[in-house]
Amino acid sequence: DLPFIINEMLDAVLYGYKPMEIYWRYIGDYLIPTAIVGKPPHWFGFDEFGLLKFLGDYTSGIPTIMLKTKFLVIKHDATSENPYGRGVLSKCFWPVVFKKGGFQFWTQYAERYGQPFLIGKYKTDAKQEDIDELLVQLNALQNGGRAAIDEDVSIDAISAGNPQQADIYKNLIHFLNAEISKAILSQTLTT
């Protein structure tokens, strides 16, 4: 399946290198490769001579040097000093981390300042159970939009925050999206 093999090989651009295992089989008198299957790069490493080794069982700590006829190694921008190559996804690490943080802060901002604060006012001689009931009603009003309260109680809604402040997080996420696009596509599609 040549399209599948090519698709697996293209992972080398993303990760820096891609080990591909060759499955051999005798057909008649000939030893022929019958399949080439990509393996996860983190299963492998390189020795001091740049030869592929299987890291294997992490508890034993004994790497196995792989036979040259068993594995192909596709590399992207590899050098003798860096046999692991240069993966495009390595340029995306920090933008993705900050983007996730930006989404988190944006969501927290929207939750905190997107809805008005409800302030319930009660009389100074109110009992603690009346105050607790008012808090339950304010919660119901905030979440469900309906509440039944005593006519002696008043509720004020205070709008907090400036809607333009949320654009800080939105602009951050757009910037990080552009950085990820530049890393993978070499442009932001604005040209």
Side-chain angles (χ1 to χ4, degrees):
D1 186 11
L2 197 55
F4 175 76
I5 293 170
I6 292 171
N7 192 39
E8 290 273 320
M9 289 178 168
L10 288 173
D11 281 353
V13 175
L14 300 175
Y15 299 106
Y17 72 104
K18 180 70 173 188
M20 307 280 293
E21 186 174 2
I22 305 170
Y23 292 91
W24 297 90
R25 196 172 98 202
Y26 276 104
I27 298 179
D29 292 336
Y30 300 101
L31 183 61
I32 297 176
T34 56
I36 300 175
V37 179
K39 299 296 178 184
H42 65 272
W43 288 3
F44 299 89
F46 294 95
D47 66 5
E48 62 273 8
F49 304 108
L51 297 175
L52 185 70
K53 64 182 178 182
F54 178 63
L55 299 178
D57 184 6
Y58 291 106
T59 58
S60 68
I62 303 171
T64 307
I65 303 292
M66 306 316 295
L67 298 173
K68 290 182 180 181
T69 58
K70 184 66 176 163
F71 281 87
L72 292 172
V73 181
I74 315 302
K75 297 180 181 181
H76 178 255
D77 285 346
T79 63
S80 58
E81 294 175 0
N82 179 16
Y84 292 92
R86 185 182 52 82
V88 171
L89 290 181
S90 65
K91 293 181 178 180
C92 297
F93 177 76
W94 288 112
V96 168
V97 168
F98 290 133
K99 181 178 172 182
K100 286 175 68 175
F103 273 127
Q104 179 184 357
F105 293 138
W106 194 13
T107 303
Q108 288 174 347
Y109 182 89
E111 287 176 354
R112 178 172 291 163
Y113 300 110
Q115 294 181 351
F117 289 118
L118 298 179
I119 298 175
K121 297 179 182 177
Y122 55 88
K123 296 184 179 185
T124 54
D125 60 344
K127 298 177 183 167
Q128 184 60 42
E129 54 265 9
D130 294 334
I131 297 171
D132 292 340
E133 178 61 27
L134 177 59
L135 290 173
V136 168
Q137 293 297 330
L138 286 173
N139 226 1
L141 186 61
Q142 186 78 30
N143 294 331
R146 295 183 293 275
I149 58 172
D150 191 312
E151 64 183 332
D152 293 336
V153 176
S154 68
I155 296 177
D156 294 332
I158 298 175
S159 180
N162 183 350
Q164 280 72 33
Q165 288 175 334
D167 286 345
I168 293 170
Y169 301 110
K170 186 177 179 181
N171 292 336
L172 173 67
I173 290 168
H174 285 305
F175 171 75
L176 296 172
N177 282 340
E179 290 300 303
I180 294 167
S181 293
K182 278 192 262 181
I184 295 175
L185 302 173
S186 301
Q187 64 177 344
T188 60
L189 299 178
T190 58
T191 57

